[in-house]
Amino acid sequence: MSPIVYFVRHGQTAWNAEQRLQGQADTDINALGREQADRNGARLAELICDPQAFDFVASPLRRTRETMERARQAMGLDPVAYRTDERLVEVHFGDWQGHTFAELETRMPGSSEARQHDKWDFVPPGEYAESYEMLTARVRPWLAEIRQPTVCVTHGGVVRAIFRLVAAMPKSKAAALEIPQDRVLRFEDGRLDWL
């Protein structure tokens, strides 16, 4: 039986609010994002009776680290006593990072049409760009290495990859998932449940 894992998406950023593609751009959470992180930390404190038994790991980007630190503080733990893992960073949107789809369509009409047809396997233009399938290949070994109960603060794309890996969710459904920033996702006994 695999250990329990609690996943938390980082709190809202200004770019989230503007529906701007963040990818691996290193943005900060906003006031609402800080409230979300605090509430998720309070929820984790209710769920976890022995936090010392847990590994705490986050994507190394600022928005995930601040979310983790605020959540740990809400749990009454040392805010910075956690580790980061590069494999948990968001999917890279290449040249599209920092833009809204409306802006992309204004600059390059029809540029996002191919993504609408196959959102999971589409690779945006630009160096370092990834598809969700490429992201899933990056996340798979991290998931396989989990040996103890874990709290993971990461990104929407990574959570979509988790649904694909754990629940064998079809690509189109996983790609379309809305990933809330104000709820905790529990992975236990092969099941994923939003709490």
Side-chain angles (χ1 to χ4, degrees):
M1 189 160 32
S2 58
I4 190 168
V5 183
Y6 293 109
F7 292 95
V8 173
R9 184 182 175 195
H10 63 80
Q12 187 188 75
T13 68
W15 281 19
N16 287 143
E18 297 166 4
Q19 298 186 318
R20 202 167 286 286
L21 294 165
Q22 284 178 117
Q24 293 180 17
D26 206 3
T27 57
D28 294 303
I29 59 177
N30 61 19
L32 175 58
R34 289 189 284 277
E35 290 174 19
Q36 291 167 334
D38 295 344
R39 283 198 308 272
N40 282 331
R43 183 70 175 117
L44 288 167
E46 295 169 359
L47 294 165
I48 297 172
C49 59
D50 182 13
Q52 303 310 317
F54 276 71
D55 180 26
F56 286 78
V57 60
S59 155
L61 297 180
R62 289 196 312 262
R63 59 190 182 268
T64 40
R65 286 189 288 115
E66 184 177 355
T67 298
M68 174 66 90
E69 289 164 18
R70 295 188 74 93
R72 283 184 59 85
Q73 188 156 15
M75 296 175 75
L77 304 172
D78 178 351
V80 297
Y82 66 95
R83 65 187 184 88
T84 61
D85 193 310
E86 291 281 346
R87 294 172 293 182
L88 296 171
V89 296
E90 182 60 291
V91 66
H92 200 299
F93 282 111
D95 294 344
W96 287 9
Q97 286 185 173
H99 300 283
T100 65
F101 282 112
E103 289 170 352
L104 291 171
E105 283 301 311
T106 299
R107 288 176 50 212
M108 298 168 284
S111 61
S112 61
E113 189 175 325
R115 184 175 189 264
Q116 292 168 5
H117 292 300
D118 186 6
K119 187 175 175 183
W120 193 262
D121 290 302
F122 179 78
V123 181
E127 194 175 6
Y128 308 116
E130 296 176 294
S131 66
Y132 283 119
E133 187 65 25
M134 294 161 72
L135 169 66
T136 302
R138 171 159 49 84
V139 171
R140 181 180 288 111
W142 173 82
L143 187 64
E145 290 168 15
I146 294 174
R147 296 290 179 264
Q148 71 182 96
T150 299
V151 172
C152 173
V153 178
T154 189
H155 306 269
V158 173
V159 176
R160 289 183 185 96
I162 295 296
F163 271 92
R164 181 100 175 98
L165 289 166
V166 170
M169 183 176 280
K171 292 178 178 182
S172 59
K173 187 173 179 185
L177 275 177
E178 288 294 324
I179 309 298
Q181 292 169 299
D182 59 353
R183 293 177 72 187
V184 173
L185 177 66
R186 179 177 60 207
F187 173 40
E188 185 176 26
D189 298 332
R191 288 175 44 91
L192 289 162
D193 296 293
W194 289 107
L195 307 177

